[in-house]
Amino acid sequence: SLLTGGSHAGLRADLRGIDAAVDTSVGLFGPLMASAPDTFVLVVHHHQGDFDRAQQLVDQRLDQVADGADSSRVRSAVLTTQSQHFKKLDSPAQRVRLMTRGQLLFGLPNLAEHYQDRLEAVTGQEVQGAAAQLATGSPRGTVLLRTEGAPR
């Protein structure tokens, strides 16, 4: 959420300069969908020939966050994530899915409560450390998918 949450997020703004879009996900299927998600997915949709510039912009933004995540921005990102989570809990079907997933994956049918507590505890230092790890590429994989010949 700190990198891509909302239309004015830093990385979104950076990539708009090359007419590219970006999205992120925790884990391959989203947060709370795996017992030990160790994957952060960042996807940039860019024009052909802009791969190097897009990667450079991502790395610059990660370096900025790693050098000093603004505590007010971290707090805002946490509040946004909490709000999104609460909106999902408005649906009885989503609530049942979360309770079931919480029990099956984590042994916690009341996972929603624990999730809120964990979010509340996120610190700027933890965000800086995560950004530094992503920026250094350890471990990191990059995939370039080309859509040559695809219908437009």
Side-chain angles (χ1 to χ4, degrees):
S1 162
L2 187 66
L3 294 172
T4 61
S7 60
H8 299 293
L11 186 55
R12 281 194 196 281
D14 296 342
L15 290 165
R16 252 192 310 271
I18 61 169
D19 194 30
V22 63
D23 204 1
T24 55
S25 173
V26 176
L28 297 176
F29 306 105
L32 306 179
M33 300 294 260
S35 62
D38 61 353
T39 304
F40 176 73
V41 179
L42 189 146
V43 178
V44 178
H45 302 271
H46 57 81
H47 295 286
Q48 189 169 346
D50 287 341
F51 174 79
D52 290 335
R53 181 65 180 139
Q55 191 165 19
Q56 179 185 30
L57 290 169
V58 168
D59 289 343
Q60 285 174 350
R61 181 56 61 170
L62 288 172
D63 286 340
Q64 286 176 0
V65 173
D67 287 343
D70 181 320
S71 61
S72 65
R73 290 186 63 218
V74 170
R75 181 73 184 139
S76 177
V78 166
L79 290 173
T80 298
T81 303
Q82 286 176 322
S83 174
Q84 291 168 346
H85 181 64
F86 281 131
K87 285 179 186 177
K88 288 179 183 174
L89 294 179
D90 281 347
S91 161
Q94 287 288 355
R95 185 177 291 273
V96 168
R97 284 186 195 111
L98 181 59
M99 289 175 67
T100 303
R101 194 167 44 245
Q103 178 59 38
L104 291 173
L105 294 175
F106 306 99
L108 296 169
N110 58 344
L111 180 62
E113 297 166 25
H114 295 281
Y115 186 61
Q116 292 304 322
D117 293 342
R118 295 297 300 261
L119 282 173
E120 192 68 36
V122 171
T123 68
Q125 289 178 326
E126 290 171 321
V127 172
Q128 284 177 258
Q133 185 176 0
L134 289 169
T136 61
S138 176
R140 177 177 172 170
T142 303
V143 177
L144 176 60
L145 301 175
R146 298 176 191 238
T147 57
E148 294 176 30
R152 296 180 192 243

